[in-house]
Amino acid sequence: MKYVRTASVKMILTADKKNELEQSFQRNLTQVTTEMKQMEFQLQRALKTVKSNRESSGIHDKYKKELQRREEKRKSLEFQLTQLSALSIGTEISSGKTEVLLDLTVGDRWVTNETDITVVVKDGKILEIRESEFLNDGKLV
């Protein structure tokens, strides 16, 4: 019998992975900063073509919301970069969730929905698959 479950994926931080993540965050930060500069330029250009204060206010509000959204993303990326630099090599970091297909046969131990399955990856290879159950009081078994 096949059984589909959601599993957490954790990655062991290596020097290469840390460098890769840092470069990715830097690229995203550069992109967001560029987008913000382009939006500010577009806002100024749009305001020059507007004839009434009412239109001007609407355009300004629209661009302001988008700029705020990108500013939040920029701050988040800067925070992630700070957090990444504080992490030491060998640290487990969450890398999301994935669906896993369990192949069950008669006599296998049943994996309940309360059982947390974690796949640990290092350098693109599965290092470990963990199972843990939570009791009613929230403690691990």
Side-chain angles (χ1 to χ4, degrees):
M1 177 171 100
K2 306 275 186 202
Y3 182 57
V4 178
R5 284 287 314 277
T6 301
S8 300
V9 179
K10 291 192 176 184
M11 174 178 21
I12 303 289
L13 190 63
T14 61
D16 290 340
K17 190 62 177 179
K18 188 172 184 176
N19 188 33
E20 179 186 321
L21 287 170
E22 185 176 350
Q23 288 177 0
S24 174
F25 290 151
Q26 287 290 355
R27 274 192 308 275
N28 290 340
L29 189 59
T30 300
Q31 180 181 349
V32 167
T33 303
T34 302
E35 287 174 4
M36 289 175 69
K37 288 178 183 177
Q38 288 174 342
M39 289 191 77
E40 289 170 358
F41 175 76
Q42 290 173 355
L43 171 61
Q44 295 306 317
R45 203 170 91 198
L47 289 175
K48 286 181 183 178
T49 62
V50 173
K51 296 176 179 142
S52 71
N53 283 341
R54 188 178 200 179
E55 282 182 272
S56 174
S57 178
I59 290 172
H60 190 59
D61 289 345
K62 176 184 159 189
Y63 276 94
K64 186 177 178 182
K65 285 179 186 175
E66 282 300 313
L67 283 167
Q68 284 176 341
R69 192 172 65 81
R70 283 175 175 77
E71 177 65 21
E72 288 173 13
K73 187 173 182 179
R74 186 186 65 76
K75 285 180 181 178
S76 173
L77 286 165
E78 287 175 346
F79 177 74
Q80 288 174 329
L81 271 168
T82 303
Q83 293 298 308
L84 180 62
S85 66
L87 289 176
S88 60
I89 302 301
T91 303
E92 284 186 14
I93 56 175
S94 180
S95 184
K97 296 201 178 279
T98 189
E99 295 290 319
V100 293
L101 182 63
L102 302 176
D103 195 9
L104 301 174
T105 58
V106 174
D108 286 347
R109 189 169 56 86
W110 178 247
V111 180
T112 65
N113 287 335
E114 290 80 35
T115 304
D116 184 33
I117 300 173
T118 303
V119 178
V120 181
V121 179
K122 181 177 182 181
D123 294 329
K125 295 181 183 169
I126 296 174
L127 186 65
E128 182 180 2
I129 298 172
R130 298 181 191 149
E131 293 180 38
S132 60
E133 279 192 47
F134 289 93
L135 294 174
N136 290 340
D137 61 0
K139 293 184 180 174
L140 282 173
V141 174

